[in-house]
Amino acid sequence: MTKQEWKNKTVVTEFILLGFGNGPELDSFLFLMFLSIYIMTITGNIFIIVLTVANQHLHTPMYFFLGNLACLEICYSSNILPRMLLSYLGGDRSISVKGCFTQYYFFGCLAAAECYLLAVMSYDRYLAVCKSLHYPSRMNSQLCLQLGAASWISGFLSNSVLTFLISNLDFCGPNEIEHFFCDSLPMIKLSCSNTHVTGLVTSVVAGVCSLPPFLLTFSSYLYIIITVMSIPSATGRKKAFSTCSSHLIVVILFYWSILTVYVLPHHNTQISLNKVVSVFYTILTPLVNPLIYSLRNKEVKEALRKQTSRFPAFRGLLSVKKK
């Protein structure tokens, strides 16, 4: 279909993102809440990137992947939250059709890339814990770069087909999207074309992008837990479990929400529920990932102490704490 034919067939020129409700009081509350979340998300993930780059002790495979994850979360949040904030601040919830397709494209690419990256990170931890003797030779710098690049490239390629299919649908009205961002399923529901193939491809691609990485991630942590159980020291087991359990909770939360929205059968009554579930993987996961994956880590705390001790003001604060 040529660009001119697409323009002639498309009646709708903009969509309305309904979000979570209307009303000045509710809009003000949602604006302040999501603004706080966005600031904390960006600050936390930038902190992780700066710390891993600046500290030589953190130039390891684990923190290389954490830096990639932090960068991904910044892009992920910036693709959705600023548009939400503008709608709650000014009351204009309209978005152009092309702008909606663009937002969906980057959202789908980044979501798929995160699935692959989480699987890569779990595989890295599996090698470090279960194959510790072979870890330095297996997880070398070349493999790290290849796995990191593969995660990003696979994510961006996987959603290209879906975006192409959705952008070639006809939208004749209505134009109200029952969501807080441009997602595939709410947009498909508004199309006046035959959407059977597009809906089927959406479920297939979502399954391919989420199920294999989830199984790899879950299997890796299962082997890690079995290995940790064999540690004779109770203190060692507790230390390992505290980290693994936190990581596993975030992974399960992320994949549970992804699979619920995109892979399980859909019904009209699930629209509001899917919108709420979407908050977990679009807003909450980028917020808590820096806390779970890095800020509870002793190596990160030690790197932070060394970085802050270079400044006189921080040195004084640290010396007071020691006393």
Side-chain angles (χ1 to χ4, degrees):
M1 183 182 292
T2 64
K3 188 179 291 186
Q4 186 61 41
E5 288 174 337
W6 181 79
K7 287 182 179 178
N8 292 337
K9 286 192 174 186
T10 303
V11 176
V12 172
T13 58
E14 65 179 19
F15 292 118
I16 307 296
L17 294 170
L18 297 181
F20 292 100
N22 296 301
E25 294 182 359
L26 183 60
D27 284 356
S28 300
F29 169 75
L30 291 174
F31 173 78
L32 292 175
M33 181 180 70
F34 287 123
L35 177 62
S36 301
I37 291 174
Y38 183 58
I39 291 174
M40 288 188 292
T41 300
I42 298 300
T43 303
N45 284 288
I46 289 179
F47 166 78
I48 296 302
I49 294 173
V50 171
L51 196 63
T52 53
V53 171
N55 196 286
Q56 292 288 334
H57 296 289
L58 299 183
H59 290 182
T60 62
M62 175 183 175
Y63 294 103
F64 170 76
F65 295 129
L66 281 174
N68 274 266
L69 181 64
C71 181
L72 189 148
E73 300 293 24
I74 291 173
C75 298
Y76 201 45
S77 298
S78 298
N79 182 50
I80 295 176
L81 282 173
R83 182 65 191 80
M84 286 180 61
L85 293 173
L86 287 175
S87 67
Y88 289 126
L89 182 63
D92 183 13
R93 306 194 178 188
S94 62
I95 182 172
S96 67
V97 171
K98 290 184 178 179
C100 201
F101 291 153
T102 301
Q103 186 187 55
Y104 167 68
Y105 171 71
F106 284 104
F107 156 73
C109 293
L110 293 168
E114 182 161 0
C115 290
Y116 294 126
L117 191 57
L118 288 174
V120 168
M121 292 171 66
S122 67
Y123 176 68
D124 171 71
R125 290 299 85 205
Y126 161 75
L127 289 179
V129 176
C130 304
K131 307 288 183 181
S132 56
L133 295 178
H134 303 285
Y135 178 72
S137 60
R138 289 191 181 183
M139 192 59 71
N140 52 52
S141 58
Q142 182 178 359
L143 181 59
C144 288
L145 290 173
Q146 290 173 348
L147 290 175
S151 299
W152 286 90
I153 294 172
S154 299
F156 275 80
L157 288 178
S158 62
N159 200 48
S160 299
V161 176
L162 281 180
T163 305
F164 174 78
L165 289 175
I166 294 174
S167 65
N168 280 277
L169 295 175
D170 298 329
F171 296 93
C172 313
N175 67 336
E176 293 183 340
I177 297 179
E178 187 63 46
H179 218 314
F180 57 90
F181 70 98
C182 294
D183 200 3
S184 57
L185 298 178
M187 283 194 292
I188 290 173
K189 285 184 65 67
L190 296 180
S191 175
C192 50
S193 305
N194 186 340
T195 60
H196 176 72
V197 174
T198 305
L200 182 62
V201 173
T202 300
S203 296
V204 170
V205 172
V208 170
C209 291
S210 57
L211 282 174
F214 170 73
L215 293 175
L216 176 60
T217 303
F218 185 78
S219 300
S220 298
Y221 279 114
L222 183 61
Y223 278 109
I224 290 172
I225 291 173
I226 293 173
T227 303
V228 169
M229 288 291 291
S230 63
I231 297 176
S233 170
T235 305
R237 288 197 301 270
K238 183 179 179 181
K239 177 183 175 183
F241 269 125
S242 65
T243 303
C244 293
S245 60
S246 300
H247 293 186
L248 195 56
I249 288 171
V250 173
V251 167
I252 290 175
L253 185 64
F254 176 78
Y255 279 111
W256 163 77
S257 54
I258 288 283
L259 296 175
T260 299
V261 174
Y262 297 104
V263 179
L264 296 181
H266 306 109
H267 305 283
N268 292 332
T269 55
Q270 287 184 314
I271 295 176
S272 298
L273 176 62
N274 286 350
K275 183 165 58 174
V276 174
V277 173
S278 298
V279 174
F280 287 96
Y281 63 86
T282 58
I283 297 175
L284 296 183
T285 301
L287 174 65
V288 301
N289 268 343
L291 299 173
I292 297 298
Y293 280 98
S294 297
L295 298 184
R296 295 185 63 202
N297 192 296
K298 286 188 176 181
E299 292 178 348
V300 173
K301 291 180 180 179
E302 181 62 22
L304 177 62
R305 189 191 65 78
K306 289 180 179 179
Q307 292 295 324
T308 54
S309 63
R310 296 179 181 179
F311 302 94
F314 285 113
R315 260 200 303 264
L317 180 61
L318 289 172
S319 62
V320 170
K321 286 186 176 181
K322 287 181 179 180
K323 292 180 181 179

